[in-house]
Amino acid sequence: MSQFFQIHPDNPQLRLIKQAVQIIDQGGVVAVPTDSCYALVCHLDDKEAVMRLRRIRGVDEKHHLTLLCRDLSEIALYAKVDNRQYRLLKAATPGPYTMILEATKEVPRRLSHPQRKTIGLRVPENKIIHALIHELGQPLLATTLILPDESEPLTDAEQIRQKLEKLVDLVIDGGACSLSPTTVIDMTHDTLELVRQGRGDASLFGL
C-alpha cells in the first residue's frame, strides 16, 4: 500500500519533503504534481526503480524518460548544450517544456535512448518538485503519469491513490494539476522538431 502525503504547493513542508526523498533514496516510485500534469518519479541511479517506473507507465527503453532539473546549469551537466540551444533553453525555463538533447556521460546508459543516446530534460516551475530535487541533491527521473490503457494523464491525487496504491510507494497530493502534459521539443538537429504539443507555447521556439 502506498503512502499519501498532502504537501502545500507554495510552502512545502520540509518534514514531508525529507520523508519523500528517503522513500526515493530507498528505491521508491512516487507520483508527484508538476507544473503540467502529475508524473511518476524515481532515483535516476536505481535500476530496479527505473524498471518499475517503465512497467507502470507501460513503455520500453525507446521511450524518452525525463530528468527534472533545478536549473540550466544542471541541464548542462547531463546534456550537451551548444550556444543556440542554451539561448532557447534560457527563454523556456522554468516551464512546461521537455527538451530532447544528446546525453552526456553523467546519464546512465540504460536511461538514454538506445540508438540515439538522447534524454529528455526539463526545469519545472513547481515548488514541491524543486524542494524534492534540492533535498535529493540531483535530478529526478520522471515520466508523465498516463496509464497504459488510457490516453489522458491522471491529474487528481485521490484518483491516483485509488488506481496505483499497490504499484507506487508514495502519492504526493499538491493540489489539482493541468490536464495537459509538457510540450516536447527535439533539439538534437539543426531544425527543431515539435514532438508533442502540450501546455507550453511552442511559438517560443519558432514552431
Side-chain angles (χ1 to χ4, degrees), residues 11-206:
N11 297 290
Q13 304 94 310
L14 183 58
R15 173 181 61 86
L16 294 179
I17 292 294
K18 286 181 178 290
Q19 289 180 34
V21 167
Q22 186 176 28
I23 290 170
I24 292 167
D25 265 332
Q26 293 173 348
V29 175
V30 179
V32 300
T34 76
D35 52 342
S36 55
C37 50
Y38 270 79
L40 293 173
V41 302
C42 70
H43 202 293
L44 68 90
D45 290 321
D46 193 312
K47 183 179 179 181
E48 290 299 320
V50 175
M51 289 174 63
R52 283 180 57 208
L53 183 145
R54 288 189 188 275
R55 282 199 300 271
I56 295 168
R57 181 68 168 79
V59 296
D60 61 19
E61 68 278 2
K62 292 182 181 179
H63 179 88
H64 277 106
L65 299 177
T66 299
L67 294 182
L68 303 181
C69 300
R70 279 176 282 198
D71 51 33
L72 274 180
S73 62
E74 198 160 63
I75 283 184
L77 180 63
Y78 292 92
K80 297 176 181 177
V81 180
D82 62 26
N83 291 335
R84 180 186 68 108
Q85 292 166 336
Y86 185 87
R87 287 193 298 272
L88 291 168
L89 290 170
K90 190 173 182 180
T93 57
Y97 300 92
T98 298
M99 279 68 68
I100 306 298
L101 291 159
E102 185 180 351
T104 67
K105 292 181 180 179
E106 295 296 323
V107 177
R109 184 173 294 180
R110 66 179 178 276
L111 301 185
S112 59
H113 190 283
Q115 280 85 44
R116 299 180 58 200
K117 310 306 179 191
T118 48
I119 187 82
L121 298 107
R122 86 180 193 96
V123 180
E125 196 169 20
N126 179 283
K127 291 183 179 180
I128 294 173
I129 291 292
H130 276 273
L132 291 170
I133 296 170
H134 180 78
E135 186 66 27
L136 186 64
Q138 66 181 74
L140 284 164
L141 188 71
T143 186
T144 304
L145 211 177
I146 302 175
L147 297 181
D149 56 346
E150 298 182 9
S151 59
E152 298 292 331
L154 296 176
T155 62
D156 179 75
E158 284 290 349
Q159 184 185 32
I160 293 168
R161 184 184 196 181
Q162 292 170 11
K163 292 196 172 207
L164 299 181
E165 64 180 356
K166 295 182 180 179
L167 298 176
V168 301
D169 301 280
L170 169 65
V171 176
I172 293 178
D173 182 358
C177 287
S178 167
L179 285 168
S180 299
T182 58
T183 292
V184 181
I185 310 289
D186 189 335
M187 304 180 74
T188 58
H189 306 291
D190 291 337
T191 302
L192 302 181
E193 179 188 351
L194 178 62
V195 178
R196 179 180 71 194
Q197 177 61 63
R199 185 162 177 249
D201 183 359
S203 68
L204 194 64
F205 294 85

